[in-house]
Amino acid sequence: QVQLVESGGGLQQVGGSLRLSCTASGRTDSTYRVGWFRQAPGKEREFVAAINWSGNNPDYVDSVKGRFTISRDNARNTVYLQMNSLKPEDTATYYCAARRRYSPKWDHWGQGTQVTVSS
């Protein structure tokens, strides 16, 4: 079983930056895909970004393209979400998740870290 822990959330003003981290306590390998989701107040959880553990096939929701970058550091067993040019619409609880690359379901979830962007 893979356990995920997020960190790096906080309060930023519009245009600011944050880097979220997701560390995995269990073994992750090339068969995994790791992603970030977020849930804003009053909204459904939405997909933000994902990347294969190999670093291939990064993917982003349209609203964050050009502003957010997902990456991983295999040595640290960590996936990052660099968030630049933050907007109030980015305010949400951000969750890290993992699945097998060809699984239809995200099976492993972190507890979340809050991101608040104020104007």
Side-chain angles (χ1 to χ4, degrees):
Q1 297 177 356
V2 176
Q3 293 185 348
L4 306 173
V5 179
E6 303 96 334
S7 63
L11 175 65
Q12 282 287 317
Q13 292 186 329
V14 171
S17 297
L18 285 171
R19 188 176 74 164
L20 307 184
S21 298
C22 173
T23 59
S25 61
R27 190 182 76 174
T28 56
D29 55 40
S30 62
T31 69
Y32 278 94
R33 187 165 177 81
V34 182
W36 289 93
F37 295 76
R38 66 187 180 187
Q39 187 167 25
K43 293 187 176 181
E44 295 290 317
R45 183 187 65 193
E46 69 169 340
F47 169 82
V48 177
I51 192 170
N52 289 347
W53 190 239
S54 66
N56 292 336
N57 297 319
D59 189 30
Y60 304 90
V61 67
D62 285 345
S63 61
V64 309
K65 287 181 178 178
R67 300 189 298 120
F68 291 9
T69 302
I70 189 169
S71 62
R72 91 283 179 235
D73 186 336
N74 293 351
R76 297 181 182 272
N77 221 210
T78 298
V79 173
Y80 303 100
L81 185 67
Q82 178 66 47
M83 308 165 63
N84 297 328
S85 302
L86 286 164
K87 302 177 179 180
E89 304 89 86
D90 298 319
T91 295
T93 300
Y94 284 71
Y95 298 90
C96 180
R99 61 170 172 85
R100 297 290 184 178
R101 286 172 55 192
Y102 300 106
S103 173
K105 185 178 180 181
W106 296 86
D107 295 320
H108 309 283
W109 292 85
Q111 294 179 317
T113 184
Q114 289 194 25
V115 172
T116 302
V117 184
S118 64
S119 59

